[in-house]
Amino acid sequence: MMRANFVRSVGCVLTLFLLVRPVPAEEKASEKLSAPQQTAVEDVTRRADDLKAVNQSIWNYAEVGLQENQSSQLLIEKLKEVGFTVKSGVADMPTAFVASYGSGKPVIGILAEYDALPGLSQKTVPFREAQTEGGAGHACGHSGLGTAALGAALAAKVAIDKHQLKGTVRLYGTPAEETGLGKVYMLLDGQFEDLDICLHWHPSNNTNVHLGSSKALVSVKFTFTGLPAHASVSPESGVSALDAVELMNTGVNYMREHVKEDARMHYVIIDGGGQPNVVPAKATVWYYVRSNTHEDLERNYKWVVDIAKGAALMTRTKLAVQVDTDNHELIPNTPLSEVIHGKLMTIGPPEFSEEEKAFARRIQQPLIEEFGQQFPVAIDSRVHSLLESKTSSKGSTDVGDISWHIPTGGLRTTCFAAGNPGHSWQNVACIGSSIGEKGILYAAQALAATTVELMENPALVTEAKADFDQRMKDRKYITLIPKGQKPPVKIR
């Protein structure tokens, strides 16, 4: 969902239009890892087989948001085994957790996601074949996302112990990213209050650092209630809730002509009645409303609500509005992005075998044959230049809300064939293959080395906070989620 463009994917995902400020990659490439950072990188390599097994397990579990019971439990068990203190079921979400190791400042957080997408089950083969018919699949690569975050936290712990580093590493298990829920409700519950820096990553078609923004988003359901009646015998006795949904959708579609070009409104009717000869007494439409800024989102959301109220008046139905979540646009951070980019350059990307490239080419073939797409390479193995984007991506993520409170930096590594569409069966196959595994281990190493450097060099934390303060000047965090509202038990 959320990161279909955010990762090209999100995303399950953030496609950055990289335009403006290059960072001297040559200088970064010449840097060497300190002894503690090298310890962390080597630890990821040492436990590579175990991390691959974790990815395979979560990939096979393929649990959708708020139902990631086995996936979250596996990560918790791995953390507890080596001495992390774990709080589970935080923020009224059974699959959310916070794991900590170390003591004192800085407190460096790493985000883990592990939810799959419904209806995208796929075997690890280069052609469309479901593993479980109608089942879910990791089409945004979150099996690998959670695995690399785990690997980074475990590696940072080893470096803390061996080199007696001061600081705390914290792994946040954040459920339901695909519907933008987990991090927002954890934030509102105060789980990030003492965090100094937040790090995140996402599987992608290429390797780079996110130095740009995303779209703000509100996920909201509109339910209309009327009166049932026989649609042929006594239609005059019925009050159609479905009529209200259709009139609302028509109104929103007329609204599109008069909003900024970055605005997005998309919807699905999740309840439209039972059968044609019964006037639907209840109908629900689920909307995502997006804009480049939360300020614009607030204005557009109010307009959509007014249209829904008008549809209720026109049909004599009653209206109920349920905001499930509200995501803010991502606030980038230059000092953090530079540090992360430096680690990607210094560690260096993995090499892909001829067999893996052949697998990727077969993955691309249906897109070539059916849609005429062209792919200059099978796998994009480069580290792309660090450039600051002045335009927002088209994806959304609940990482954005954390970035409004804490300096936040993220990266992407190549885990998919070049040009794979976001949220596709191709991505499921790749993240479960050796292609995905190489990107997972690379991400874990870069995150671990970054975490350790932030502990070694507190001045970097100070720089990141100064950049954050400058970017947040004149911004005020406002959420459309009603005060005190608990997260939904089930999203779909």
Side-chain angles (χ1 to χ4, degrees), residues 181 185 218-224 270 284-288 301 305 308 319-326 480-482 485-491:
L181 284 163
Y185 284 94
V218 61
S219 171
V220 55
K221 297 185 178 81
F222 298 91
T223 299
F224 297 88
I270 57 175
T284 301
V285 60
W286 182 6
Y287 267 80
Y288 282 174
Y301 168 69
V305 171
L319 170 66
V321 180
Q322 172 66 43
V323 174
D324 284 330
T325 194
D326 176 17
L480 298 173
I481 298 173
Q485 177 175 292
K486 302 295 183 184
V489 176
K490 192 175 182 180
I491 190 66

Side-chain angles (χ1 to χ4, degrees), residues 161-228:
D161 288 345
K162 182 175 180 178
H163 300 277
Q164 298 182 330
L165 300 177
K166 182 181 178 182
T168 304
V169 59
R170 190 173 290 162
L171 186 68
Y172 287 88
T174 64
E177 188 281 332
E178 296 295 355
T179 44
L181 284 163
K183 299 175 192 65
V184 177
Y185 284 94
M186 291 174 76
L187 179 75
L188 296 176
D189 192 53
Q191 297 298 326
F192 298 94
E193 282 182 356
D194 65 339
L195 199 60
D196 291 301
I197 298 291
C198 185
L199 302 176
H200 64 104
W201 89 283
H202 208 290
S204 182
N205 302 109
N206 55 52
T207 298
N208 63 28
V209 171
H210 309 312
L211 188 51
S213 191
S214 60
K215 286 187 182 294
L217 171 149
V218 61
S219 171
V220 55
K221 297 185 178 81
F222 298 91
T223 299
F224 297 88
T225 304
L227 291 172

Side-chain angles (χ1 to χ4, degrees), residues 418-484:
N420 273 11
H423 293 181
S424 63
W425 67 262
Q426 286 95 337
N427 283 356
V428 186
C430 284
I431 200 65
S433 74
S434 61
I435 296 171
E437 288 172 348
K438 288 182 176 179
I440 291 165
L441 297 176
Y442 183 32
Q445 290 174 330
L447 288 170
T450 300
T451 300
V452 171
E453 176 156 359
L454 292 168
M455 291 182 179
E456 291 180 288
N457 190 354
L460 290 172
V461 177
T462 302
E463 290 176 23
K465 288 184 175 181
D467 185 273
F468 170 81
D469 290 340
Q470 179 64 31
R471 292 178 186 270
M472 292 307 296
K473 202 180 293 183
D474 302 323
R475 295 180 191 261
K476 182 180 179 181
Y477 185 82
I478 296 171
T479 182
L480 298 173
I481 298 173
K483 187 175 181 180

Side-chain angles (χ1 to χ4, degrees), residues 6 14-24 28 200 206-214 330-341 344 384-393 407-412 464 467-468 471:
F6 186 76
L14 178 61
T15 300
L16 296 178
F17 297 92
L18 303 175
L19 298 175
V20 185
R21 191 190 59 80
V23 172
K28 297 296 183 182
H200 64 104
N206 55 52
T207 298
N208 63 28
V209 171
H210 309 312
L211 188 51
S213 191
S214 60
L330 190 69
I331 307 299
N333 190 283
T334 299
L336 282 179
S337 296
E338 291 177 352
V339 174
I340 298 166
H341 180 76
L344 289 172
H384 288 249
S385 298
L386 176 59
L387 302 163
E388 180 160 1
S389 170
K390 294 301 182 183
T391 57
S392 295
S393 79
T408 301
L411 62 96
R412 304 188 293 188
D467 185 273
F468 170 81
R471 292 178 186 270

Side-chain angles (χ1 to χ4, degrees), residues 102-132:
S103 62
K105 293 284 192 174
V107 182
I108 311 299
I110 303 172
L111 303 179
E113 301 166 11
Y114 31 83
D115 58 325
L117 284 158
L120 282 163
S121 175
Q122 169 66 28
K123 293 181 179 179
T124 312
V125 293
F127 49 86
R128 183 68 172 115
E129 185 176 346
Q131 181 158 298
T132 304

